[in-house]
Amino acid sequence: LEDDDVLAGRHVHPDAVDGHFHQVGHASIITPGVRRRGHLCPAATMARVARETLLLVDGHNLVYRAFHAMPALSNSRGEMTNAAYGFTSMLFKALNDTTPTYAIAAFDPPGPTFRHEKFPAYKAQRLRAPDELRAQFPWAREVVEALGIPIVEIPTFEADDVIGTLAQQAEAAGLDVIILTGDLDVLQLVTEHIRVFASRRGISDIIIYDVDKVRERYGFEPPLVVDFKALQGDPSDNIPGVPGIGEKTAMSLVQQYGPLENVLEAVPTMPEGRVRRALEGHMEQARLSKWTATIKVDVDVELPLEGARLFHYDESAVRELFDRLEFRSLLPRLPGRSVEEDAPPLLPGVTADAPPPPPGDLQVPGTDVEIVVDAHQADDAVQRIRAAGAMAVRTVALLPALVGAWK
C-alpha cells in the first residue's frame, strides 16, 4: 500500500485496505515513474497511495457551542432549533470541505465520568443545561444517524476520550484523522496525521490546527498543551491549575522547561518571586489538574470503521427528517450529492414533469423562509434566487437597525 519506509511494522485496518485498492483500481494515484536517489523506479513499486481520512465529530461540544453561538431560531411549532441547526451546518461544512472517507460521531454519556471519582469538583460549577438546549440533542443525533454516521458513546468517558482513542487507532491503521470540535483541549492529540477542524467564533469561522499551527500558537509541541492547561487551569471545566499562573506565564514555563514534571522539578532553581511561590504551594494541585485535563487514548472501544464509510445514506429519509425539522435551507449543502443533484430546487408545489400553467393564469406564488448564517449559505441563496427567475424577496437582518429592510 505504501513504500517500505512508511509501511514497515504498521497494522493497516482491513477497511482502509479495501478503500486503497478501490483507488488503485481507478488508477487515480498511479504515476508513470518516480526517481528516487538518482534511479528510475517502476511506478508499480513506487506508487504511493493517498491516506484515506476519518472525520471524528465531537457531537456534544458542537451542539452546545451552536446553541450559544446562534440566534434563537425556532420552527413553525415554536420549538427552538438553533443548536441542532448550527450543529448540522458545521457538520456539513466539515464534510464538504475536508471530503473524508469515513466519519464517526462521539457524544458525552449522561451521568458522572471517571474524572469525578478522583476530582468531584470537576465541572461542578456548570449549571444544568437549559431545557431548550437539552431538547435539541436528540435532533442532532437523528441528523447524524440519517447520514449513516455511527455514534459512539461509552459510559463514564467523555466524547474527548472516545475521540482520542479512536484517533490514535485510526492513525495506527494508516488513516489521516480530522477532529471536528470547538474545544481546543484536543490540540494535545495533534500529530502529523491528526488535525483539528475547530470553530473560533460563531459556527462558520474555522481554523485547522496541524502540528505547525499548534507550534505557531503556543510555541511548543502539541502534547504539551495539557501541561500548559495544568498550569493555567480551565475555569470552564473547573480545573484549578496554579493560582497566580496565567496564560503568558504558563506558556513561558512550558516553552522553557517542557512537561509539568520538568517545571516542578526546576522550581528550586527558579528565582525567588511570585511564580516560584505559586508553584511551591500548589504542586499537587498542578498534578491533579494535568491528570484531569489529559485526554485518555486507551478507552476500551474498537474503531467501528466497517459502518463508517460515508455517503451510503437514504437521501429520501434525510429530506423527510429535514422537512420535519424545517432545515430545508441546508439541503443544497447535503454532502455526497452529485453535480446534477445540486441543481437549484424547484419552487414549492412544482414537480419536474408538471406542465407549464396556461398563459394568463394567476398562480399563487410559493413562499419559503430561509435562514442564512454564513457566507456559504448567502452565496448559495443568491445563486438559487438568480436561477429561479422573478420573485419577491424580503431580507430580515439580525441587526436591529436593519430588521424589516426590503430588497
Side-chain angles (χ1 to χ4, degrees):
L1 296 180
E2 298 183 86
D3 63 38
D4 50 7
D5 290 343
V6 177
L7 193 58
R10 183 197 297 155
H11 167 70
V12 179
H13 195 285
D15 272 20
V17 174
D18 177 70
H20 285 144
F21 278 123
H22 176 77
Q23 287 182 301
V24 172
H26 284 77
S28 60
I29 41 70
I30 302 299
T31 54
V34 181
R35 284 194 176 275
R36 187 182 186 192
R37 295 174 185 168
H39 302 286
L40 184 62
C41 302
T45 60
M46 288 307 302
R48 283 183 66 92
V49 178
R51 295 168 68 103
E52 292 184 312
T53 300
L54 166 67
L55 178 70
L56 292 173
V57 181
D58 188 348
H60 200 93
N61 175 270
L62 292 180
V63 174
Y64 186 87
R65 185 176 186 87
F67 181 78
H68 293 283
M70 295 280 291
L73 310 176
S74 59
N75 58 26
S76 60
R77 299 180 294 276
E79 300 166 325
M80 191 175 292
T81 59
N82 62 336
Y85 184 97
F87 167 83
T88 307
S89 181
M90 286 188 281
L91 177 60
F92 278 16
K93 180 173 179 61
L95 290 170
N96 289 321
D97 288 359
T98 66
T99 60
T101 309
Y102 311 94
I104 299 169
F107 281 82
D108 290 344
T113 71
F114 75 94
R115 291 180 174 87
H116 291 91
E117 297 175 8
K118 186 173 180 177
F119 182 39
Y122 180 57
K123 296 185 177 181
Q125 87 291 0
R126 293 192 181 184
L127 301 176
R128 184 178 185 272
D131 290 341
E132 295 85 357
L133 169 58
R134 293 165 62 87
Q136 297 186 61
F137 279 102
W139 296 336
R141 296 174 73 111
E142 280 190 82
V143 169
V144 171
E145 291 168 347
L147 293 173
I149 298 174
I151 293 175
V152 179
E153 183 179 288
I154 307 295
T156 77
F157 291 98
E158 296 176 82
D160 282 356
D161 302 307
V162 173
I163 286 172
T165 300
L166 295 180
Q168 291 205 356
Q169 289 182 12
E171 182 182 31
L175 301 175
D176 282 334
V177 177
I178 296 176
I179 300 172
L180 173 61
T181 184
D183 186 358
L184 296 188
D185 291 352
V186 299
L187 295 185
Q188 63 187 269
L189 301 173
V190 170
T191 67
E192 180 185 356
H193 295 292
I194 300 175
R195 294 175 292 159
V196 174
F197 192 92
S199 53
R200 289 187 288 193
R201 293 180 299 273
I203 65 169
S204 58
D205 186 6
I206 299 298
I207 181 171
I208 298 179
Y209 282 98
D210 56 13
V211 173
D212 288 338
K213 202 68 177 177
V214 174
R215 289 174 184 152
E216 178 186 323
R217 176 175 178 134
Y218 294 103
F220 46 73
E221 298 300 305
L224 294 174
V225 169
V226 69
D227 300 277
F228 164 74
K229 186 170 181 178
L231 291 165
Q232 182 193 21
D234 184 353
S236 67
D237 289 340
N238 206 33
I239 296 176
V242 177
I245 301 293
E247 178 180 359
K248 291 183 179 179
T249 303
M251 197 175 296
S252 176
L253 288 169
V254 175
Q255 289 169 356
Q256 182 176 355
Y257 298 105
L260 175 69
E261 294 76 13
N262 292 1
V263 174
L264 299 182
E265 185 178 341
V267 168
T269 67
M270 293 180 183
E272 293 287 346
R274 176 184 57 85
V275 173
R276 176 170 171 172
R277 290 193 300 271
L279 291 168
E280 286 175 335
H282 299 89
M283 288 191 176
E284 287 307 313
Q285 184 166 295
R287 293 187 182 99
L288 177 61
S289 295
K290 179 173 180 175
W291 178 86
T292 307
T294 299
I295 294 174
K296 288 187 70 67
V297 294
D298 58 355
V299 177
D300 186 15
V301 58
E302 292 187 6
L303 181 65
L305 208 57
E306 292 81 2
R309 188 175 289 274
L310 284 169
F311 310 138
H312 296 294
Y313 58 83
D314 181 348
E315 186 170 332
S316 63
V318 174
R319 289 181 175 275
E320 181 180 341
L321 172 63
F322 279 36
D323 186 63
R324 173 164 58 84
L325 296 177
E326 299 181 13
F327 290 177
R328 303 179 192 92
S329 62
L330 291 175
L331 285 172
R333 295 168 55 193
L334 195 61
R337 303 170 74 221
S338 66
V339 175
E340 291 77 13
E341 291 172 317
D342 283 329
L346 296 169
L347 290 175
V350 179
T351 60
D353 54 358
D361 264 20
L362 179 63
Q363 301 296 312
V364 178
T367 302
D368 194 14
V369 177
E370 177 157 347
I371 301 168
V372 176
V373 296
D374 58 37
H376 180 97
Q377 287 177 269
D379 180 67
D380 176 75
V382 168
Q383 296 303 320
R384 286 185 287 118
I385 289 171
R386 287 174 175 165
M391 66 168 63
V393 179
R394 182 187 182 189
T395 62
V396 181
L398 294 176
L399 296 176
L402 297 179
V403 171
W406 287 78
K407 283 190 178 182

